[in-house]
Amino acid sequence: MKIDKNKTYTVTQIATIAGVSKASVSRWLSDRHVSPDHTKGKAKYFNATYVKQYLEAHKAPSNKTSKTPTAIELLQEQVSQLTAENKRLVARIEKQDQQIKEKDQQISNWTSQSAVISKLANDSHNMTVKLLENSNTSAESNDEKVSSTVETDNQANENAEKPRSNWFQRIFGK
């Protein structure tokens, strides 16, 4: 069976691949103090290198001597895997940093646009206030004109209401 280097395997999967019991795989991992690559729920996932090492250690020996990897070999393999993982994480962080910079630029643009909109709204408000003041002044001026016109009309009406005397009464006052 082909083992994918980038995949991780559970104890059950390793046991199935090797054709042994889960207890055998668990014991072998425990004896070598191998820690899981990650866990999901209760399942522990191990790197593909451990699967390969287990298969190498438990394949049918042709000369009755099986090569069991030493702790140093296991650690070296784990270091190389962690280095590769570290490179992937650094690349991911750089990508996220770039996305953050782009978002910061968008926020900056929105802030400047908001400032322009705020200024326009303030200018509009000031213009409205001035127009209202001008219209109030015009209304007061119109009120004065109307009141003087009304007074003139009232005087004319009073004069019209008085009975006109004839020429004799005007001259002799009778």
Side-chain angles (χ1 to χ4, degrees):
M1 174 177 217
K2 184 161 176 118
I3 298 170
D4 186 1
K5 290 181 183 180
N6 297 324
K7 189 175 176 186
T8 55
Y9 297 87
T10 63
V11 173
T12 305
Q13 290 171 329
I14 296 171
T16 303
I17 291 169
V20 295
S21 69
K22 290 190 315 185
S24 297
V25 174
S26 294
R27 194 175 322 107
W28 183 83
L29 292 169
S30 176
D31 289 347
R32 282 156 186 78
H33 305 288
V34 175
S35 58
D37 186 43
H38 66 278
T39 58
K40 193 182 267 185
K42 291 183 179 182
K44 297 177 182 177
Y45 289 84
F46 297 88
N47 289 324
T49 54
Y50 297 118
V51 177
K52 289 179 182 178
Q53 290 171 356
Y54 184 83
L55 291 174
E56 287 294 321
H58 291 87
K59 70 179 179 180
S62 57
N63 59 5
K64 295 270 183 178
T65 58
S66 65
K67 169 128 171 66
T68 305
T70 65
I72 293 173
E73 292 171 338
L74 289 173
L75 290 174
Q76 286 174 338
E77 182 66 29
Q78 194 171 13
V79 166
S80 67
Q81 289 175 355
L82 290 174
T83 303
E85 179 67 19
N86 189 25
K87 288 179 183 178
R88 285 191 300 272
L89 290 174
V90 166
R92 185 174 168 193
I93 288 171
E94 289 172 351
K95 182 180 177 183
Q96 288 176 341
D97 282 345
Q98 181 62 31
Q99 290 173 344
I100 289 171
K101 287 178 184 177
E102 290 171 2
K103 294 292 182 186
D104 286 346
Q105 183 62 38
Q106 284 180 340
I107 290 170
S108 175
N109 291 343
W110 291 341
T111 302
S112 64
Q113 289 174 355
S114 175
V116 168
I117 290 170
S118 176
K119 184 180 181 317
L120 290 173
N122 193 22
D123 290 348
S124 173
H125 173 72
N126 291 339
M127 291 296 273
T128 304
V129 168
K130 286 181 182 178
L131 287 172
L132 286 174
E133 288 173 356
N134 288 342
S135 68
N136 287 342
T137 306
S138 288
E140 289 172 3
S141 174
N142 286 342
D143 287 345
E144 289 174 5
K145 288 178 183 176
V146 167
S147 67
S148 67
T149 305
V150 167
E151 287 175 9
T152 306
D153 289 345
N154 286 342
Q155 287 176 356
N157 288 340
E158 285 175 9
N159 290 339
E161 289 174 8
K162 288 182 184 176
R164 275 194 120 194
S165 48
N166 60 24
W167 65 272
F168 183 80
Q169 289 174 338
R170 277 184 275 169
I171 294 175
F172 297 109
K174 294 194 182 198

Short mmCIF file of all heavy atoms in Angstrom, two decimals, residues 3-4 22 29 31 58 72 84-85 90 94-95 105 114 118 120 124 135 144 146 152:
data_model
loop_
_atom_site.label_atom_id
_atom_site.label_comp_id
_atom_site.label_asym_id
_atom_site.label_seq_id
_atom_site.Cartn_x
_atom_site.Cartn_y
_atom_site.Cartn_z
N ILE A 3 1.88 5.00 0.83
CA ILE A 3 1.65 5.90 1.96
C ILE A 3 1.95 7.33 1.50
O ILE A 3 3.01 7.61 0.97
CB ILE A 3 2.55 5.51 3.15
CG1 ILE A 3 2.20 4.09 3.60
CG2 ILE A 3 2.37 6.49 4.28
CD1 ILE A 3 3.16 3.51 4.58
N ASP A 4 0.99 8.20 1.74
CA ASP A 4 1.12 9.62 1.35
C ASP A 4 1.94 10.35 2.42
O ASP A 4 1.59 10.34 3.60
CB ASP A 4 -0.27 10.23 1.23
CG ASP A 4 -0.25 11.64 0.68
OD1 ASP A 4 0.83 12.16 0.37
OD2 ASP A 4 -1.34 12.21 0.57
N LYS A 22 -4.27 -2.83 16.97
CA LYS A 22 -4.06 -1.44 17.42
C LYS A 22 -3.13 -1.42 18.63
O LYS A 22 -2.32 -0.51 18.79
CB LYS A 22 -5.39 -0.78 17.78
CG LYS A 22 -6.27 -0.51 16.59
CD LYS A 22 -7.49 0.36 16.90
CE LYS A 22 -8.22 0.00 18.14
NZ LYS A 22 -9.46 0.77 18.36
N LEU A 29 4.57 2.81 19.44
CA LEU A 29 4.66 4.27 19.51
C LEU A 29 5.01 4.73 20.93
O LEU A 29 5.83 5.63 21.12
CB LEU A 29 3.34 4.91 19.07
CG LEU A 29 2.98 4.77 17.59
CD1 LEU A 29 1.53 5.21 17.34
CD2 LEU A 29 3.93 5.56 16.72
N ASP A 31 6.65 2.97 23.25
CA ASP A 31 8.04 2.59 23.56
C ASP A 31 9.03 3.61 23.00
O ASP A 31 10.10 3.81 23.56
CB ASP A 31 8.36 1.20 22.99
CG ASP A 31 7.65 0.09 23.75
OD1 ASP A 31 7.11 0.37 24.86
OD2 ASP A 31 7.59 -1.04 23.22
N HIS A 58 8.61 -3.84 11.32
CA HIS A 58 7.82 -5.06 11.50
C HIS A 58 7.63 -5.88 10.23
O HIS A 58 6.79 -6.78 10.21
CB HIS A 58 6.44 -4.70 12.09
CG HIS A 58 6.56 -4.25 13.51
ND1 HIS A 58 6.80 -2.94 13.83
CD2 HIS A 58 6.49 -4.93 14.67
CE1 HIS A 58 6.87 -2.84 15.14
NE2 HIS A 58 6.69 -4.03 15.68
N ILE A 72 17.34 8.88 17.81
CA ILE A 72 17.95 9.98 17.07
C ILE A 72 17.37 10.05 15.66
O ILE A 72 17.05 11.13 15.16
CB ILE A 72 19.49 9.82 17.02
CG1 ILE A 72 20.06 10.00 18.42
CG2 ILE A 72 20.11 10.81 16.06
CD1 ILE A 72 21.53 9.71 18.54
N ALA A 84 9.72 21.68 7.67
CA ALA A 84 8.84 21.86 6.52
C ALA A 84 7.53 22.52 6.93
O ALA A 84 7.04 23.43 6.24
CB ALA A 84 8.56 20.51 5.85
N GLU A 85 6.99 22.11 8.05
CA GLU A 85 5.75 22.71 8.56
C GLU A 85 5.98 24.18 8.90
O GLU A 85 5.13 25.03 8.63
CB GLU A 85 5.25 21.95 9.79
CG GLU A 85 3.99 22.50 10.41
CD GLU A 85 2.77 22.36 9.52
OE1 GLU A 85 2.79 21.55 8.59
OE2 GLU A 85 1.78 23.09 9.77
N VAL A 90 5.19 29.99 7.91
CA VAL A 90 5.76 31.31 7.63
C VAL A 90 5.14 31.87 6.35
O VAL A 90 4.77 33.05 6.29
CB VAL A 90 7.31 31.23 7.52
CG1 VAL A 90 7.88 32.48 6.90
CG2 VAL A 90 7.92 30.98 8.89
N GLU A 94 2.91 35.29 6.11
CA GLU A 94 3.23 36.38 5.18
C GLU A 94 2.02 36.72 4.31
O GLU A 94 1.74 37.89 4.05
CB GLU A 94 4.43 35.99 4.31
CG GLU A 94 5.73 35.98 5.07
CD GLU A 94 6.89 35.42 4.27
OE1 GLU A 94 6.67 34.88 3.16
OE2 GLU A 94 8.03 35.52 4.76
N LYS A 95 1.29 35.70 3.89
CA LYS A 95 0.09 35.92 3.08
C LYS A 95 -0.96 36.69 3.90
O LYS A 95 -1.58 37.63 3.41
CB LYS A 95 -0.47 34.59 2.60
CG LYS A 95 -1.69 34.71 1.72
CD LYS A 95 -2.20 33.37 1.27
CE LYS A 95 -3.47 33.50 0.45
NZ LYS A 95 -4.00 32.19 0.07
N GLN A 105 -5.37 49.46 4.21
CA GLN A 105 -5.45 50.45 3.15
C GLN A 105 -6.91 50.77 2.83
O GLN A 105 -7.27 51.93 2.64
CB GLN A 105 -4.72 49.95 1.88
CG GLN A 105 -4.70 50.95 0.76
CD GLN A 105 -3.96 52.22 1.12
OE1 GLN A 105 -2.96 52.18 1.79
NE2 GLN A 105 -4.48 53.35 0.69
N SER A 114 -14.94 59.22 4.29
CA SER A 114 -15.88 59.61 5.33
C SER A 114 -15.63 61.06 5.74
O SER A 114 -16.58 61.81 5.98
CB SER A 114 -15.73 58.68 6.54
OG SER A 114 -16.53 59.10 7.59
N SER A 118 -18.29 64.02 5.46
CA SER A 118 -18.62 64.80 6.65
C SER A 118 -18.46 66.30 6.36
O SER A 118 -19.30 67.11 6.75
CB SER A 118 -17.71 64.38 7.80
OG SER A 118 -17.95 65.17 8.93
N LEU A 120 -18.66 67.78 3.42
CA LEU A 120 -19.74 68.18 2.52
C LEU A 120 -21.05 68.35 3.28
O LEU A 120 -21.81 69.30 3.02
CB LEU A 120 -19.90 67.15 1.40
CG LEU A 120 -18.78 67.12 0.36
CD1 LEU A 120 -18.99 65.94 -0.59
CD2 LEU A 120 -18.72 68.41 -0.41
N SER A 124 -23.11 71.79 3.62
CA SER A 124 -24.53 71.82 3.25
C SER A 124 -25.36 72.39 4.39
O SER A 124 -26.25 73.21 4.18
CB SER A 124 -25.00 70.42 2.90
OG SER A 124 -26.38 70.40 2.69
N SER A 135 -33.85 84.16 4.15
CA SER A 135 -35.29 84.12 3.90
C SER A 135 -36.05 84.77 5.05
O SER A 135 -37.06 85.44 4.84
CB SER A 135 -35.77 82.70 3.67
OG SER A 135 -35.67 81.93 4.83
N GLU A 144 -42.65 94.43 6.65
CA GLU A 144 -42.66 95.88 6.81
C GLU A 144 -43.34 96.53 5.62
O GLU A 144 -44.13 97.46 5.77
CB GLU A 144 -41.23 96.39 6.95
CG GLU A 144 -40.60 96.03 8.28
CD GLU A 144 -39.11 96.42 8.34
OE1 GLU A 144 -38.62 97.06 7.39
OE2 GLU A 144 -38.48 96.08 9.35
N VAL A 146 -45.52 95.20 3.64
CA VAL A 146 -46.94 94.88 3.69
C VAL A 146 -47.64 95.76 4.72
O VAL A 146 -48.72 96.29 4.48
CB VAL A 146 -47.15 93.37 4.01
CG1 VAL A 146 -48.58 93.08 4.38
CG2 VAL A 146 -46.72 92.53 2.83
N THR A 152 -51.34 102.54 4.53
CA THR A 152 -51.76 103.46 3.46
C THR A 152 -53.17 103.12 3.02
O THR A 152 -54.03 104.02 2.83
CB THR A 152 -50.80 103.37 2.26
OG1 THR A 152 -49.48 103.59 2.71
CG2 THR A 152 -51.14 104.39 1.20
#
